[in-house]
């Protein structure tokens, strides 16, 4: 595990893109996250800087050969395959090009486009998607609704629990989400029925894009796992709770989750996140220590990411009244029980090959406090304690035309604040 700070992290560094120097911007020159956007009819790789996108594909000539070749594909997969050193080289070069004193400003400026007018695409072609269950608070809350006497199953504190998700229905932020229909069974009825979900929910998660590859049959030692994390994004694992409750036993979620997963378009690289590494929240006294294949000194010291995460909801009535989205919860990524390095090492421990561009979800990020619960199932306790929005409307679960907005950012004394942007999706009525 290597965490290196360099000139790109200097908090006094400024860009000639004025909006990047606003201290509230998610995208100062210390961040430089990567994404893919439409330029005409072509896919281009870009870097977010203030209110602009630096079109790296169009400006490939300003970068070194291997990096230029990788970004010219208009996808991040080839770049992710090169591993983290290539990402560091790109980031350092971009920082030199975008700095206020840049000698190449006149060659960079023609490749800056408006971020607000851009159509963002998925950052990578995602071959496989796995969703973990890394928050012990989430697992305990959800478990206690179904098994009050034994909320946490005995494996939880030993195994990073996960399931293989569906890659084809992952969509970029801004894509509307159609309310799914499915089989549900009400307790008092003898048979299930088929129809629109009445208990549609979001899940606040962080996504992790995989860098490099291990061949089929090879494992990933925990000491090397951090270097296989390309970067992080926000992820909303939309969930139909009534479909889930009927179908999940014995093999876990299926149609309750495979209708859509939203991700934010900008991948914040591990180098940008270096100043915000920290140990995870300590395990409770008496909890087992991780087995040796999940335990490393570096991971114990700095396996976590100090990212503040929040969820806001904006109903159609609120939008029509020009009300801002209403924040319903706020938590921290440090509250998870397993680090991404542990999740990756575990994922590959039986010989599963992890490929560049694969996506790993953290699982719902919930903290101990009630206002840090990362989904409505927990916030409203299965709908029994509705929450109020700014408009006075009440919610037990999501209604049609509700917009869900995930946000995330990092702040630490002595460093520039960086953010993830937003991951947004509006619920459309079932067909
Ligand atoms: Ca999930």
């Amino acid at each position: 595990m290597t965490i290196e700070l360099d000139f790109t992290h200097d908090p006094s560094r400024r860009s000639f893109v004025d909006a990047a120097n606003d201290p509230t911007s998610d995208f100062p020159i210390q961040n430089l996250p990567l994404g893919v956007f439409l330029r005409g009819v072509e896919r281009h790789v870009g870097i977010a800087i203030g209110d602009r996108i630096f079109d790296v594909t169009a400006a490939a000539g300003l970068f070194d050969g291997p990096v230029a070749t990788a970004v010219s594909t208009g996808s991040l997969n080839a770049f992710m395959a090169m591993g983290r050193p290539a990402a560091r080289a790109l980031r350092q070069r971009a920082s030199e090009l975008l700095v206020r004193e840049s000698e190449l400003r006149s060659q960079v400026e023609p490749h800056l486009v408006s971020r607000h007018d851009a159509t963002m695409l998925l950052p990578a072609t995602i071959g496989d998607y796995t969703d973990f269950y890394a928050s012990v608070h989430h697992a305990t809350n959800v478990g206690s609704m179904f098994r009050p006497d034994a909320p946490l199953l005995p494996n939880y504190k030993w195994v990073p629990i996960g399931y293989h998700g569906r890659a084809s229905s992952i969509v970029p932020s801004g894509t509307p989400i159609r309310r799914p229909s499915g089989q549900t069974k009400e307790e008092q009825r003898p048979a299930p029925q088929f129809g629109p979900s009445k208990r549609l929910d979001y899940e606040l998660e962080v996504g992790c894009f995989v860098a490099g590859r291990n061949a089929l049959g090879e494992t990933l030692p925990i000491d090397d796992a951090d270097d296989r994390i390309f970067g992080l994004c926000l992820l909303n694992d939309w969930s139909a709770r009534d479909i889930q409750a009927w179908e999940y036993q014995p093999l876990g979620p299926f149609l309750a989750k495979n209708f859509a997963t939203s991700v934010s378009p900008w991948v914040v690289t591990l180098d940008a996140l270096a100043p915000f590494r920290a140990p995870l929240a300590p395990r409770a006294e008496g909890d087992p220590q991780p087995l040796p294949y999940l335990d490393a000194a570096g991971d114990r010291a700095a396996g976590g990411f100090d990212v503040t995460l929040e969820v806001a909801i904006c109903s159609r009535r609120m939008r029509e009244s020009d009300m801002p989205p209403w924040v319903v919860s706020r938590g921290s990524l440090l509250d998870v029980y397993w680090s991404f390095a542990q999740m990756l090492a575990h994922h590959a421990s039986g010989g599963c090959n992890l490929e560049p561009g694969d996506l790993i979800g953290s699982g719902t990020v919930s903290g101990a406090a009630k206002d840090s619960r990362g989904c409505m199932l927990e916030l409203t306790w299965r709908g029994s304690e509705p929450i109020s929005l700014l408009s006075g409307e009440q919610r037990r679960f999501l209604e049609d035309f509700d917009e869900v907005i995930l946000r995330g950012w990092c702040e630490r004394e002595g460093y520039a604040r960086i953010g993830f942007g937003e991951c947004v999706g509006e619920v459309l009525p079932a067909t």
Side-chain angles (χ1 to χ4, degrees):
M1 174 166 188
T2 48
I3 297 176
E4 289 168 22
L5 298 183
D6 58 33
F7 67 93
T8 63
H9 302 98
D10 180 352
S12 67
R13 203 167 172 82
R14 296 286 178 271
S15 172
F16 63 79
V17 178
D18 285 336
N21 304 323
D22 178 339
T24 65
S25 172
D26 278 347
F27 306 122
I29 194 166
Q30 290 84 359
N31 192 348
L32 305 177
L34 292 157
V36 174
F37 69 107
L38 266 188
R39 188 91 192 252
V41 294
E42 290 181 4
R43 291 161 179 265
H44 282 204
V45 172
I47 291 176
I49 176 79
D51 57 353
R52 310 264 125 186
I53 296 172
F54 179 26
D55 184 340
V56 178
T57 298
L62 296 172
F63 292 86
D64 281 344
V67 168
T69 304
V71 297
S72 68
T73 61
S75 156
L76 287 176
N77 292 74
F79 195 58
M80 289 169 169
M82 294 162 72
R84 283 186 46 204
R88 180 170 300 141
L90 173 71
R91 185 167 179 282
Q92 289 177 340
R93 178 63 173 159
S95 183
E96 288 168 0
L97 293 169
L98 291 163
V99 75
R100 185 145 63 193
E101 302 79 14
S102 173
E103 289 167 8
L104 294 172
R105 177 174 174 169
S106 64
Q107 293 181 52
V108 172
E109 278 185 322
H111 301 301
L112 294 174
V113 299
S114 165
R115 191 162 57 76
H116 301 294
D117 301 335
T119 300
M120 299 303 301
L121 306 171
L122 288 177
T125 303
I126 299 166
D128 274 303
Y129 160 51
T130 303
D131 197 23
F132 279 86
Y133 198 49
S135 163
V136 69
H137 304 289
H138 173 69
T140 305
N141 283 337
V142 173
S144 68
M145 292 175 203
F146 298 93
R147 298 175 302 274
D149 300 335
L152 216 52
L153 292 170
N155 57 3
Y156 187 85
K157 292 183 174 179
W158 297 94
V159 186
I161 300 289
Y163 69 95
H164 286 118
R166 184 77 192 166
S168 68
S169 53
I170 300 174
V171 294
S173 173
T175 307
I177 304 301
R178 181 72 62 184
R179 178 181 298 273
S181 290
Q183 261 198 46
T184 59
K185 184 181 171 306
E186 290 170 26
E187 255 172 50
Q188 60 276 25
R189 285 174 181 262
Q193 51 192 10
F194 185 90
S197 168
K198 296 188 180 92
R199 296 191 155 206
L200 183 60
D201 200 356
Y202 59 81
E203 288 191 340
L204 167 66
E205 302 196 18
V206 171
C208 161
F209 280 99
V210 170
R213 53 163 50 91
N214 56 290
L216 184 63
E218 278 180 9
T219 60
L220 172 54
I222 179 81
D223 279 318
D224 301 338
D226 214 64
D227 284 332
R228 295 289 305 280
I229 305 173
F230 183 83
L232 306 183
C233 67
L234 304 171
L235 185 152
N236 184 344
D237 177 22
W238 301 93
S239 300
R241 301 302 184 190
D242 42 2
I243 298 172
Q244 186 178 359
W246 173 234
E247 74 171 8
Y248 88 102
Q249 286 178 317
L251 289 186
F254 183 31
L255 278 80
K257 295 195 178 251
N258 74 0
F259 58 94
T261 304
S262 300
V263 292
S264 59
W266 296 107
V267 183
V268 179
T269 65
L270 231 61
D271 286 300
L273 290 162
F276 309 103
R277 301 305 297 268
L280 294 177
R283 295 183 166 208
E285 199 157 331
D287 279 8
Q289 292 306 309
L291 292 176
Y293 81 102
L294 295 175
D295 194 16
D299 190 61
R300 284 185 183 217
F305 298 86
D306 191 356
V307 184
T308 303
L309 297 162
E310 74 175 21
V311 182
I313 295 177
C314 200
S315 68
R316 182 161 66 172
R317 192 196 298 176
M318 289 168 69
R319 291 196 296 281
E320 285 169 358
S321 313
D322 283 327
M323 291 182 192
W326 179 247
V327 175
V328 296
S329 74
R330 186 172 292 161
S332 168
L333 186 56
L334 290 178
D335 273 334
V336 292
Y337 199 78
W338 300 102
S339 69
F340 277 117
Q342 287 173 316
M343 293 184 235
L344 291 177
H346 179 68
H347 202 312
S349 62
C352 175
N353 48 330
L354 298 174
E355 299 285 333
D358 281 359
L359 182 65
I360 305 293
S362 61
T364 308
V365 180
S366 293
K370 194 172 177 182
D371 63 2
S372 65
R373 294 175 180 170
C375 64
M376 281 192 124
L377 180 70
E378 289 172 85
L379 269 182
T380 69
W381 211 256
R382 264 180 125 175
S384 64
E385 301 168 22
I387 54 169
S388 294
L389 306 180
L390 184 60
S391 53
E393 295 167 280
Q394 295 216 316
R395 287 291 181 272
R396 297 171 193 274
F397 288 95
L398 294 171
E399 303 278 334
D400 289 343
F401 307 109
D402 280 354
E403 201 172 56
V404 178
I405 301 118
L406 311 184
R407 304 185 184 115
W409 64 91
C410 303
E411 279 175 316
R412 191 178 159 203
E413 188 72 33
Y415 293 93
R417 174 196 184 281
I418 63 170
F420 285 73
E422 293 184 336
C423 180
V424 182
E426 181 189 351
V427 177
L428 299 184
T431 41

